[in-house]
Amino acid sequence: MAKRPAPKKHKPAPRAKAPAKRKADKRKPAKKRRLTKKRFLVYLVLAGLLAATVFTLYLDVTVRMRFEGKRFALPARVYARPLELYPGLRLSPEEMKRELALLHYRPASNPRQPGAYDWNGGALDLVTRPFVFADGAQGAQSLRVEFRGGQVAGVSDRAQGKTLSIARLDPPLIGGIYPGKNEDRVLVQLKDAPQHLIDALIATEDHRFYTHHGLDPRGIARAVVVAVRGGRVQGGSTLTQQLAKNFFLTPERTLQRKFTEMVMALLLELHYSKNEILETYLNEVYLGQDGNRAIHGFGLAASFYFDKPLKELSVSQASLLVGMLKGPTYYSPRRNPKRALKRRNFVLQEMAEQGKLSKRQLAMAKATPLGVVRRPPSGTSPYPAFLQLVYRQLKRDYRDQDLRSEGLRIITTLDPAVQRAAEQALSNRLARLEKARRIKGGTLQGAAVVTSTQNAEVQAVVGGRDPRFEGFNRVLDARRPIGSLIKPVVYLTALQQPQRYTLATLLDDSPLVLKQKGTADYAPQNYDKEFHGKVPLVDALAHSYNVATVRLGLAVGLPKVMANLKRLGAERDLPGFASSLLGAGELSPLEVTQVYQTIAGGGFRTPFRAIRTVLTAQGEPLKRYALKVEQESDAASLFLLTTAMQEVVRRGTARSLANQLPPSLDIAGKTGTTDGLRDSWFAGFTGDRLAVVWVGRDDNQPTGLTGASGAMVVWGQAMAALDPAPLTLTPPDNLEWVWVQASSGLRSGRGCPGAVKLPFIKGSAPTQSAGCGGGSVGDAVEEMGTTVKRWFERIFD
């Protein structure tokens, strides 16, 4: 058997040397780590560039949107009525001086600049300021106004030497409706800024402004060094950077904000011209504080510190404002005049070193006093109660955001002279009443409204004893029982039924007890605690008899009385109880005023208005608040009611008003007193004005005052200061005058005992005679003479 060959032994493949293998293992991981770091650094750089690009694009969009859109939130400016001067206007030189002070006009010999005036004996020379009214722009006028006997005797144009029938002053600014942060500014264009203001700004804040591109490298380097050393981030800011900081950023001092500020400055310089940047800077910078109002921009600062338009500032005045940029509070010329003077002189010196002032100009400017006015034009309205009424009326037509940001110009109906008279009367009389009646000082409160009887314009609103208080406005928000002020509505409702009721109709003023299931008996009492039997309707109103009034109101129908009250102007529904006929229902003084406005208007309801027109910031008319007149009662019944209200003042509850005003004014009015002597009211009107006054206590405690002893004396003092026009009533065609006997209401004759002459709607006068010459020949002759007189009046009217 053959032997198998032995298998071949395979030599194992040679192994790599161990050391070489270890070296290879070490090299591969090392190579991988170096690649990761490189990639990480690349990614990091790319991510940083992307983030910087996105951030820059975001800032670019932010800058352009803000800069090219509405840059500033401009407050609405609220003005009083413009004073119109014409021959015959009742206006004394003293009143004219107060108007000039309110307008911040300045005395000057031979006035030539707008806003300047000079008194020359009994004449006033002045140059009005230009203003854009609803009917167009009115330029400055050089006027001479002559006064004689408490009136304007003549108005003439000094430049052209011709007589004028009428001239109009610019309206006084009385307040504003400010943005959320209470920023206030007056926008100015760069062309309106004096060159020395620009020179002072560039020389002090950024003398390379016109050559750099938004950043100052040396300043930035200085700021970085300070920051690295642990100091506060500061310095190095160009005007463009300052604008970016003020316009877009918060005031914090961090490197991140500084970097953002620098990027924004570059973007501003990339997109906008130097003049655009400078003009925005002039309007943006913060220059002081007026209470809670922030003063922004040089335009408003010129008015706030110097009471001048920006273009009229001198070199020294402009330099003071520029110097204040470093710290408006620290360098305030009113609080720290020495510090402000030193800072102003530093600015002047910088201007001289930049070649903007000669040595002589520098010396003269440094020698000039600061020239800051003692009392700045305040942004806080001196008439907050009236401004609240304006604001509420505006909110019916405009969004709150528009009122606070669009720079609207609102021309109102406020008459500062009327407002002043009402404020002084309320303040003075309440103090005297407290002293006379030994009431703790400051306890009594009050409210007053004055309107025009001709057009229902609200001329004055006093919301409380302190007219500058911006809190609770009693004219708008104090709802109090109106007491006897409702009685004219009750009597009007009766007189609208002439076949049943006339001024001579006898009313029952005997004891009355009303019984109703589920309620206590109602037994009204008269103020004098007496009953007067049968009394003529005109006497019941004149003496404000409660029992007779309740009986009359129930007879004509309580629902009719309440409906009449709403037609006359009351907007809220009052409770339909018998006590409502004596004024248990509550209304605000403003609501009462609307009711009496319709009465004073002869039955024509004219909603009162506090605004005449609204203009855009450029002076374009947006809305005119025209008169709206609706007839709510016939003229004849209103004539009868007004005649009876005149008797209230002649011989009724308001007869003591003769101690303050002449009887020849023929005032029509009504006193009002509520239970417990808690509320004192008086509403009355003359030929040109209606006023409603309330006096009481906020805690609703008794005052001890009736309508005549409280509110009426305030009303009387206010009207006495305003030289009111007499109330002259024009009887309608369907009216006749007849002599009647007061005690019986029957027809009588002139000269008969107890005879009074009263107006009647034709066909309603009594026909039965009282037996003393009723319907006599003398009466017929008198009536014929009256008729002829009316004919002549119509012919020559």
Side-chain angles (χ1 to χ4, degrees), residues 475-515:
V475 166
L476 304 181
D477 301 322
R479 296 183 179 91
R480 309 288 296 211
I482 62 174
S484 296
L485 290 194
I486 199 174
K487 288 178 181 176
V489 183
V490 178
Y491 286 81
L492 175 63
T493 308
L495 293 170
Q496 288 169 340
Q497 306 173 43
Q499 299 309 316
R500 292 181 61 191
Y501 297 100
T502 69
L503 293 181
T505 300
L506 297 181
L507 302 182
D508 187 0
D509 192 54
S510 61
L512 172 66
V513 178
L514 295 177
K515 297 181 179 291

Side-chain angles (χ1 to χ4, degrees), residues 216-238 241-242 245 251-259 261-262 326:
D216 181 359
R218 283 181 288 182
I220 294 173
R222 183 171 64 252
V224 170
V225 170
V226 173
V228 169
R229 291 178 178 177
R232 298 175 63 190
V233 178
Q234 60 179 353
S237 292
T238 63
Q241 286 179 264
Q242 292 180 39
K245 178 184 66 176
E252 62 181 345
R253 291 177 176 269
T254 64
L255 286 174
Q256 180 182 355
R257 190 203 58 75
K258 193 70 177 178
F259 175 75
E261 171 191 307
M262 293 164 58
K326 189 175 181 180

Side-chain angles (χ1 to χ4, degrees), residues 59-270:
L59 292 182
D60 186 65
V61 172
T62 302
V63 166
R64 284 188 293 162
M65 285 183 62
R66 177 78 187 275
F67 215 79
E68 294 173 9
K70 187 177 63 179
R71 300 182 187 178
F72 306 103
L74 297 178
R77 303 282 175 188
V78 184
Y79 298 86
R81 58 86 190 101
L83 179 63
E84 295 180 339
L85 302 170
Y86 53 87
L89 173 67
R90 287 181 294 174
L91 182 73
S92 68
E94 290 71 26
E95 291 171 329
M96 187 69 208
K97 290 175 182 178
R98 285 193 287 265
E99 184 79 17
L100 294 173
L102 193 61
L103 285 166
H104 300 286
Y105 275 39
R106 302 178 304 278
S109 58
N110 191 22
R112 298 181 180 276
Q113 296 297 323
Y117 70 90
D118 182 36
W119 284 96
N120 185 11
L124 170 67
D125 294 334
L126 77 160
V127 181
T128 66
R129 292 195 182 107
F131 194 84
V132 180
F133 293 93
D135 56 0
Q138 175 181 288
Q141 287 183 289
S142 180
L143 302 176
R144 166 161 288 190
V145 185
E146 298 178 359
F147 295 86
R148 190 177 305 114
Q151 292 185 343
V152 174
V155 183
S156 58
D157 187 321
R158 288 198 304 150
Q160 300 181 9
K162 64 178 183 179
T163 301
L164 301 177
S165 59
I166 191 170
R168 181 170 54 181
L169 303 184
D170 50 301
L173 179 66
I174 62 171
I177 301 173
Y178 299 106
K181 295 181 180 179
N182 264 12
E183 291 185 6
D184 193 10
R185 56 173 54 81
V186 174
L187 287 186
V188 295
Q189 294 181 318
L190 188 61
K191 63 181 180 63
D192 295 325
Q195 185 58 44
H196 47 257
L197 171 65
I198 306 301
D199 293 340
L201 186 62
I202 300 299
T204 307
E205 295 294 322
D206 187 2
H207 63 270
R208 286 189 290 272
F209 173 72
Y210 287 107
T211 58
H212 65 59
H213 298 288
L215 303 179
D216 181 359
R218 283 181 288 182
I220 294 173
R222 183 171 64 252
V224 170
V225 170
V226 173
V228 169
R229 291 178 178 177
R232 298 175 63 190
V233 178
Q234 60 179 353
S237 292
T238 63
L239 284 179
T240 314
Q241 286 179 264
Q242 292 180 39
L243 176 60
K245 178 184 66 176
N246 293 334
F247 209 56
F248 303 101
L249 304 174
T250 60
E252 62 181 345
R253 291 177 176 269
T254 64
L255 286 174
Q256 180 182 355
R257 190 203 58 75
K258 193 70 177 178
F259 175 75
T260 304
E261 171 191 307
M262 293 164 58
V263 175
M264 283 187 159
L266 291 172
L267 292 171
L268 282 171
E269 294 274 352
L270 176 65

Side-chain angles (χ1 to χ4, degrees), residues 783-796:
E783 185 174 348
M784 183 180 298
T786 302
T787 302
V788 172
K789 180 181 178 183
R790 290 181 190 169
W791 287 347
F792 275 102
E793 287 176 349
R794 289 175 185 172
I795 293 172
F796 294 103

Side-chain angles (χ1 to χ4, degrees), residues 581-639:
L581 296 169
L582 299 181
E586 297 179 347
L587 294 176
S588 70
L590 192 66
E591 291 171 308
V592 172
T593 304
Q594 183 64 78
V595 172
Y596 275 79
Q597 184 76 44
T598 307
I599 295 174
F604 289 90
R605 178 178 176 181
T606 307
F608 48 66
R609 56 176 184 156
I611 307 166
R612 288 185 179 177
T613 186
V614 177
L615 311 173
T616 66
Q618 293 73 36
E620 300 171 353
L622 275 182
K623 184 176 180 62
R624 294 176 184 267
Y625 288 78
L627 290 176
K628 297 179 181 179
V629 181
E630 296 179 0
Q631 187 170 2
E632 297 294 349
S633 179
D634 63 288
S637 59
L638 250 300
F639 183 93

